[in-house]
Amino acid sequence: MVRRTPLIQVLPPLLALLCAYLASAQDLNKPPFPEWRDSTVLRVLTDSPWSKRVNVPLQWTRRDEQPITYKDVPGADRSPARTPGAPVGGSPIGGIGVPRSKLPSEASLIIRWASALPVRQAVALYKQRDAKLEPSKINELVGVPSPDYIVEIRGVPAEIAHSGAESVELIARQGSLLTTRTGRTIRPSRATVSIQGTTLTIQVHFPRADPLRKEEHSVEFSGNFQIFEVKQTFRLAAMTYLGHLEL
């Protein structure tokens, strides 16, 4: 006989979880932007309703199932010999940094809604304080709202671009999807890649033509980037900021 958990035992944990999500967004007004503490800025960018950390395994395989080695990464071969006609100076994608003798087996990523106002404000505060700019520069750094939803994947090993950044952009556009709890799907319009040192950032753009609504409860970002896959669910009710759903 299957024992059913009484509803009264299930509701309190669910309500507590929901309250925690809502509180994390409401806390952004205590104190309000642009007076956020550094800890608040960090929380918005790394662990908030708009930003989630995720660890993913990396599978370095070719389409023909042969393992990729570090020598397949442009600029990683320490040998002084080079292929005739190849560019001098290492990687054509730039910024890979010190060559590795072994490819990483996993990556710690941050998936966040770069288009959401709280994230843009946190990025602006980080840049302003890091560069010691005048507070009057804040609004300029925040910028104007994007016409697209932008989901950003940060911390991706730069070696994933061994065939060039353009190939990663194509894979991201073809392999990414937003899916609401109600079953609606939104496909990306484009993707961009930027490289910082040994990692790169992928930004996937989704059209806002039919905006996401709180009534859809949650939205899952999924992406198949061949070398790794990600799935992350975001609760829409928790992403309310200044009275609006901010994505």
Side-chain angles (χ1 to χ4, degrees):
M1 180 177 179
V2 178
R3 296 185 60 185
R4 298 182 181 277
T5 303
L7 186 60
I8 193 171
Q9 295 181 19
V10 176
L11 284 178
L14 292 178
L15 290 174
L17 181 61
L18 178 59
C19 289
Y21 271 106
L22 294 176
S24 63
Q26 293 171 352
D27 286 348
L28 299 183
N29 295 322
K30 303 174 184 178
F33 175 85
E35 299 171 15
W36 289 349
R37 302 178 183 89
D38 289 346
S39 58
T40 301
V41 171
L42 181 62
R43 177 163 55 86
V44 170
L45 294 178
T46 62
D47 184 18
S48 70
W50 299 272
S51 305
K52 303 296 180 184
R53 291 182 180 273
V54 59
N55 293 322
V56 297
L58 303 176
Q59 187 68 37
W60 300 95
T61 56
R62 299 180 188 273
R63 293 182 185 276
D64 59 3
E65 301 302 322
Q66 294 299 314
I68 294 174
T69 71
Y70 79 95
K71 291 184 179 181
D72 293 303
V73 180
D77 193 347
R78 299 174 187 270
S79 170
R82 68 183 184 91
T83 303
V88 178
S91 169
I93 65 172
I96 283 184
V98 179
R100 308 187 201 206
S101 59
K102 185 178 180 181
L103 294 172
S105 60
E106 64 177 3
S108 179
L109 309 177
I110 295 176
I111 303 175
R112 68 188 183 205
W113 291 74
S115 52
L117 179 58
V119 174
R120 289 164 37 225
Q121 289 177 331
V123 169
L125 279 176
Y126 180 88
K127 290 180 177 178
Q128 181 257 327
R129 292 171 182 175
D130 184 60
K132 297 180 172 56
L133 301 176
E134 292 295 326
S136 59
K137 295 288 186 180
I138 283 293
N139 288 336
E140 179 182 340
L141 291 171
V142 172
V144 298
S146 169
D148 301 326
Y149 295 123
I150 303 175
V151 178
E152 182 176 77
I153 305 98
R154 299 185 65 87
V156 179
E159 291 93 335
I160 192 177
H162 60 89
S163 295
E166 294 81 3
S167 66
V168 180
E169 292 173 347
L170 178 61
I171 290 169
R173 182 171 59 81
Q174 294 178 339
S176 300
L177 192 67
L178 290 178
T179 306
T180 68
R181 183 176 170 184
T182 57
R184 183 161 69 99
T185 59
I186 305 177
R187 297 190 177 278
S189 55
R190 64 189 180 98
T192 61
V193 169
S194 59
I195 300 173
Q196 309 90 22
T198 59
T199 64
L200 58 81
T201 297
I202 303 171
Q203 288 195 335
V204 187
H205 292 243
F206 296 88
R208 295 183 188 254
D210 187 4
L212 293 165
R213 301 177 294 275
K214 288 184 187 179
E215 293 76 14
E216 293 176 291
H217 305 294
S218 64
V219 59
E220 178 190 78
F221 170 77
S222 59
N224 183 343
F225 299 91
Q226 296 187 359
I227 290 175
F228 69 94
E229 295 184 24
V230 293
K231 282 188 178 182
Q232 181 62 54
T233 299
F234 296 85
R235 298 179 183 275
L236 294 173
M239 302 171 83
T240 299
Y241 177 61
L242 300 179
H244 302 282
L245 180 61
E246 269 298 336
L247 299 172

